[in-house]
Structures are given as C-alpha cells and as structure tokens.
Amino acid sequence: MKYFHLIWAELMRRKTRTALTLLSIVAAFLLFGLLDGVRESFDQAGNSANGAKRLQTGSRLSFIQPLPMSLNDRIAQVQGVKQVSYANWFGGAYQDPHNQIFSFAVASNYLDLYPEIQVDKAQRKAFDETRTGVLVGAQLMQRFGWKVGQKLPLQSTIFPNSDGSKNWNFDIVGTIAAADKKTGGWYDQMVLLHWKYFDDSNPYNRGQVGWYITEVGDVNQADRVAKAIDAISANSDHESKTQTEAASAANWMKQMADIGLIVGSIMGAVFFTLVLLTGNTMAQAVRERTSELAVLKTIGFPDRSVLMLVLAESVLLLLIGGVVGVALARLMGPIVSAGSRGAINIPPISGHSWALALGLMVAIGLVVGALPAIRAMRLNIVDALAGR
Amino acid sequence: MKKLLSFGRGLLTALALIAGLALWAVAPWPVLVGLAALVALWMLLTRSGQQAASVAGVGISTLRQRLGSSSVVVIGIAGVVAVLVAMLSMAEGYRQTLARTGSADTVLVLRGASAAEVMSTLDLASINVIEQAQGIARGPDGRPLASPETVVAANLPIKGGAPDQDGSVQLRGVGDRAWLVRPQVKIVQGRKFETGKREVVVGSGAQRQFAGLDVGKQIRLGSEQWTVVGVFKSGDAMDSEVWADAEMVAATYRRGASRNAVVAKLTSAKAFKPFKAALAGDPRLQVDVTTTADYFAKQSEGMTTVIRVIGIVVGSIMAIGAVFGALNTMFATVATRAREIATLRAIGFRGLPVVVAVMLETMLLALVGGLIGGVLAWAIFNGYTASTIAGGVGQLTFDFRVTGELLWSGLKWALAIGFVGGLFPALRAATLPVTSALRAL
C-alpha cells in the first residue's frame, strides 16, 4: 500500500486515456448491475424463508380450473398444517382491458400467511370491515395517482358482476408494501379484494376457489404435507397439485423465459469486449513506460514488486470503474422501473450482486494486467534503458 | 477568450453531432448509399477530395501495424451489434409468429371485456346468434364458416424438466369447421382426431416443448387419458397448441354447451364493419368483435415492446462503452501518427482531408465490426427457437428472426458509433500545432 502514490501517478499519467477506459468499464458494470438485478429478481421470486413455508394447491387439470370450497376444512386437518387460506384470480384491468393489473380475491386470513406484506394496522382493520374494500400496492398507487379513500372502478377481464356487466366498484382502504424490496417486487404491484364480496357478486363462481395457500409449521414437513393434501382429492374430478411457493414461482419464471441464459450471454459478450479493451490500454501503458520501469528496477525494486505495481494498477482501474458503474446502476434502476411503468422491475442491487461484481472486477483486472505485468517483470534493464 | 472560443466550438460540434445522429437513426438504407456515393464523387472530382483519399489510403495501408488496437474497435462494435440484433430478432420473431396467426378477413368473437380467449365464455344461445350473423362466408356445404371453440390451459410435463414439472399448454376444443376457418393448419403426420373420441392432434411447437406428444402415445389431459393421433403445422401461434374434439374437451373441463370463442371467416375484409355493427346492435349479445389480425397484434404488443426496450437500453449502454473504446484507440492512433500528420500539414495538406482520413479509417473499422456482429447474430440466432407464456395461458414457441431490416439497423448503430468515436480524434489531428508535433518523439 505504501506504493499507492506510484500506482496513482501511473494512472494519472495519461488522463484522457485513463478517463476513457474508466468510462468503458463504468458502462460495462452499469449493465451488469441492471441485468443481474433482473436475474436475481427472477431467481428470488417466492424464494424467501416464508416462501418455503407456504404451499400452493391448484388444480392438476389447469391453473384456470377452480377447486371446491369444501377442501378448505379438509386441508386444515392435515397434520403439520398451521393455517390455510385461499384466493382467486380476479383478472382486473383499469380503464382498458389491456391495462391488466395483478388482482386477487383473497380470504379474510390471507394476509396472516404473508408476514412480508406490510399493511398499516388501522388500514388492515378498515379492510377487514369494508366489504368492497381493496388494498393496493404502493407502486400501483403511484403509477395511477390513486389515493386512499377514493372509489376504484375496475373491469374484470374474466368475471361479470351481479348486474352482468364487467364493471366492479371498490373502495381503496389502504396500501400494501413489500417488507423486503428485493424479493417483494410483486407485492407493490397488486390489488387485493375480498373473496367473499367477489363470490357473492359473481354469478359464475358459486363458492369455488382458484388456489389454496397453506402454511406448514415445519419446513422439513412441507413435502409430506403436500403429498397428504393431494391425496385428499386423488381420483376425484378435482385432483389437485401442491408445490411450495418457491417451486411454483420458479416453474412460472422458467416458462416465461430463460432469463439466466439471456443475461449470461449478454454479459459474456460485454465482458469479453471489456477484457480486450482494457487489455489494450494496459499494454499501451506498459509499453510507454518501459524505460521508467527499468529505472525502478535499477534503483532496487525487485521483479515481484514491479509485477505487483502493474497488476495493482489494472485492478485499481477496474475497481474504480466497476464500483462507479454498479453505483450508477443502483441509481438508474428505479428510473428504468418507473420509465417502463412497472413493466420492467429492477430491484435494488443485492449484497450478492455486489459480491459477484467485485469478484469480477478483481478477476478481470488480474486477467487484463497479467501479460503486461509479466512483460514488465521480465524487463531486461540494459535493453529497456537503451530503448531497444 | 480563446478558451471560450474553443469551448463554444466543442459545444457546437456536440450539438451538431446529436442532431446528425437523430436524423441518422431514422434514415433508410438508400441514404447510406447516397452518402457513400457523394463522398466517392468528392474524392474523385475535387482537389481536397483527392488529398483526403490519398491520406486515408496511407492510414488504411498502415492499419496492419496497429492491428491490436484497431481490433478493439472492431470487436467492441461487433459485440454491440450482435447483442442488439439478437435482442431485436427475439422481439421480431415473437411479433411475426403472432402477426401471421391473424388475418383481416377472419374475426374472433369473445364475451365483452375479455382480454384473451381463455377468459371468455359464450353460451349456446349467443353462439347460435353469432353463427347466423350477416357477412360470414359460407362453406361448400352452404353452412356458415364459423367455428365455436373451447380454449383451456392444460398441464403437461415439460421436455427435459424434472419429474412432476408441468408446463402450461393451450388446449383447443374444435369442431369440423375449425379446419375450414384456418386453412393454414395442415396435418403433417398421422391423422385428424375422430369426433366423440378422446384423441388429440398436437402442434409441432407443442411437440418440441412438451414430453410424450408423439403419435400413438397416451397423454393425460384433465382426469382422462387421450391418444395422440396426429401432428399439425401452421407456421404461426397455433403450432404451440393441442387440438381435440370440442365436445370431449367441454365434457372433461365441465363446460357444458358453452364455448370460449367463435372464430369466423368473413366474405371479405370489407364485411368486418357491418358484421361488427350487427353484433354490437343485437340486444341478445354482449360481445367484443375483433379481426384476428388485430387480436394477435394486441396480444404481442406488450411483450414485443418490453423486449425491444430492453434490447435498446442494453445496446445503448454497450454502445456508450464502445464509443469510449473507439475514442481511446483513435486518440492513440492520432498520437502515434502525430509526426506523420504534422508532416502532411507542413507540406500543404489542409485540415479537412486529414479529418476525413481519420474519420474514414474509423468508419471502416466500424463497418467491419458491424458486419461481423450482424453475421454472428444471424448465424447463431436466426431460427433459434425459444418459448414463453403468451396471453398468460400457454407456452408459445417462436423462432428468432434476423431480418434484413434488423441487420440494417445494426449497421446503422455500428456506423454511428464509429462516427462519434472518430470525430474528436480527427479534429484533434487537424488542430495539432504543427511545430510541436514535428518535434514529438
């Protein structure tokens, strides 16, 4: 570390070149920060400690096929089940059928199973007491400029109301927010309404349930409980399929797109280019400084120190650019999310992404610095000073 | 004062550059050809043009000595273009697959305010009214070409997935009219299903996506066993579906006599307006009528936009990185050739030919990079098969499509990056003080 000023002087020797190289590195890591955030949010969907404790039971036929209400009490009796709740798709849309909103009709105890969804105590009470009440995700509120206390007209793209029209009226009684911004991107984007109101007003539903959510007391029992739940309706006309929330979310995500592959390919192309570019810069820098390095050796710097000096220079270059890039991604993420009106949700960069980014910076720095550093180490003093 | 002047000049250059890039972004390919022709003419016919050509010739002939640093520009730009074209080809393939599915003279009738076929229901009475509406073409047997269909999402095991890992497939229950309304659907293996039997025909895309969809195999849909008796191909979104007898599907999924949608062929595209008006004015119905072309265009809109936006954001960030890489390389090039350039200017070459020469060299590198990137994207991704959940219902298989249009926009990006990356070093080369540059080592 005592040679830090030397390394710094090396970097500052050609300010334009260093600045331009830094900006390329910033661009690469900005991209890394944004894309890795997207990848993580896909990977993490439902993958929390709570997600492992919750089982989802849907119809084995198809995810749009409802299950009978009678299952509720039978699931509750399965050994190891702590509590059961249920929900339905509502298929809500605001103003235009194509402006779809994640909206679920949920049982009164639904929120008890989701401790990671934050609701203000008074608002929760208001929700429990208002038949037509809905809780709305904080991001949705912002996106459409809704206020607590106003009426909310939604169209259902699936279910007619009691008067045969698709128009439903609700009262916004509170907001919901995800306690953990990293895994809870969805919670900020949804609308929860009462299953009871939905079932009473909708002539087609007749007490049917889209899916059941079961909380198990002990995570290790989850598999056994899932099998026991499915055994209840085996060979009936409403066979069910139970998975942990994490497994079912992962399954959906996989069907949506192979995000890991796409992000991996893009980043591969980006980093390959980056290695080439910074490698070129470092090679130039060492070529220019051949005689200076020879002077260092003459005044007694051992070979290894010279090697370390050059390596440290390239690692430092990448660390500065990389940290600035990831920090920029941290700032830009919310802007991109807001700009796409919630279509693309970029979560804040997790510690895991930071660690990966730092590891990449050091690794790329070492790779890039290796050849020039070895050249510098092997310099023949006499030749170098003579400029040969 | 001098500082102010140079700052003003820099600002003007930057503004002109932004305006030029904006124009460039919307330019069709003849513009490029025209510009190239203009530059060539200028080089052939005017004195300064001839000077520029000779200086550029010298620079390009010495490129081999700067192979390492020049390849940074080429590969950097190739990377940007390859990623950009690949992303856009994904969006394009998805859009085309859905766009091909619809046409202007077939209509889809859904219950009012349904976002997709799966969410709609039509009862028997409504279906009868719709079938008799004005404007529907008649088949050879004199009956209207209208096909009431049941559409459900069914679970099937995914190919290469874990045991018990299911994917969602769109299962369409159809009658005999469906084949007439959709002439593009052709059986390529086996036969059609028989009415009243639990038999299915599968689309070629679905066959690729899900396990066990081979002719003669048994699959489980709902609580019943079905036999796969044929494979069909249509070259559009239908390829990802499984078709079976409407009555059998309705029975399995407890739909009774109701169906999800009616697809009908009109006598012509012109018949759409009166047909729509007739259904809208009928007090017995509450339906939405769209041409299938519109319906599928709407279905693909959101997804296509998202993929395009991601592609352009990623491409832009990469392009910014590539611009700095190109600037770096070209500044180094100008610095190493400072004496050469100063000598040229000392013996009477003006600034413009020097600027043009450096620009041309960068643009040439960018062009090579753009071509490599485009060819790479085309070689790897054209026809690459991917799938996603479409309409929130079933897996849709589609192929990436690297079209000429996309390759052209990739090339535009490459040349723009080359232009920006070459301009400032070129200006520096033209404004180097001759005396100090000649003394430079």
Side-chain angles (χ1 to χ4, degrees), chain A residues 14 16-18 20-21 23-24 27-28 30-31 34-35 59-66 97-98 100 155-160 164-166 204 208 236-239 241 243 251-252 254-258 261-262 265-266 269-270 272-273 276-277 280-281 284 332 336 343-344, chain B residues 68-69 71-72 75-76 79 83 87 90 111-115 118-119 121 151-155 158 164-168 220-223 252-255 286 298-299 303 306 309-310 313-314 317-318 320-321 324-325 327-329 331-332 335 384 387-389 392-393 395 428:
Chain A
R14 289 238 177 204
T16 323
R17 185 174 62 207
T18 303
L20 290 171
T21 311
L23 286 169
S24 306
L30 164 64
L31 203 53
L34 292 175
L35 288 176
S59 164
R60 186 172 284 278
L61 298 185
S62 140
F63 71 93
I64 55 173
Q65 195 74 11
H98 291 276
Q100 292 199 40
Q155 287 183 316
S156 168
T157 53
I158 318 176
F159 300 105
S165 78
K166 291 287 172 19
Y204 292 95
Q208 298 188 90
S236 70
D237 64 352
H238 53 78
E239 291 199 332
K241 178 170 180 159
Q243 290 176 297
N251 193 357
W252 265 110
K254 207 172 263 142
Q255 289 196 61
M256 278 294 283
D258 197 339
L261 182 77
I262 295 173
S265 324
I266 295 175
V270 173
F272 175 73
T273 318
L276 217 85
L277 190 139
N280 182 42
T281 307
Q284 266 180 0
M332 259 186 69
V336 174
I344 301 165
Chain B
S69 57
S71 66
V72 170
I75 292 181
V83 168
M87 291 296 285
M90 175 154 65
R111 190 194 56 185
S114 306
V118 159
M119 299 166 181
T121 48
V151 183
V152 291
N155 286 338
I158 294 180
D164 211 39
Q165 192 198 7
D166 283 349
S168 189
R220 198 181 146 92
L221 289 172
S223 42
T252 305
Y253 288 84
R254 300 199 294 284
R255 294 298 165 94
Q286 269 216 327
K298 274 228 167 67
Q299 291 274 311
M303 188 72 162
V306 167
V309 167
I310 293 175
V313 169
V314 167
I317 296 173
M318 281 181 80
I320 291 168
F324 292 128
L327 280 173
N328 215 350
T329 301
F331 272 130
Y384 182 90
S387 73
T388 181
I389 291 276
V393 182
Q395 292 262 311
R428 151 132 9 141

Side-chain angles (χ1 to χ4, degrees), chain A residues 90 92-94 130-134 150-156 159-163 165-173 191-194 197-198 201:
Chain A
F90 177 67
Y94 185 59
T130 317
R131 182 164 167 266
T132 56
V134 288
Q150 72 165 80
K151 289 239 177 271
L152 173 63
L154 286 182
Q155 287 183 316
S156 168
F159 300 105
N161 203 332
S162 48
D163 59 5
S165 78
K166 291 287 172 19
N167 303 323
W168 293 67
N169 268 306
F170 301 104
D171 295 286
I172 301 181
V173 294
V191 170
L192 298 180
L193 53 125
H194 283 292
Y197 170 55
F198 161 81
S201 317

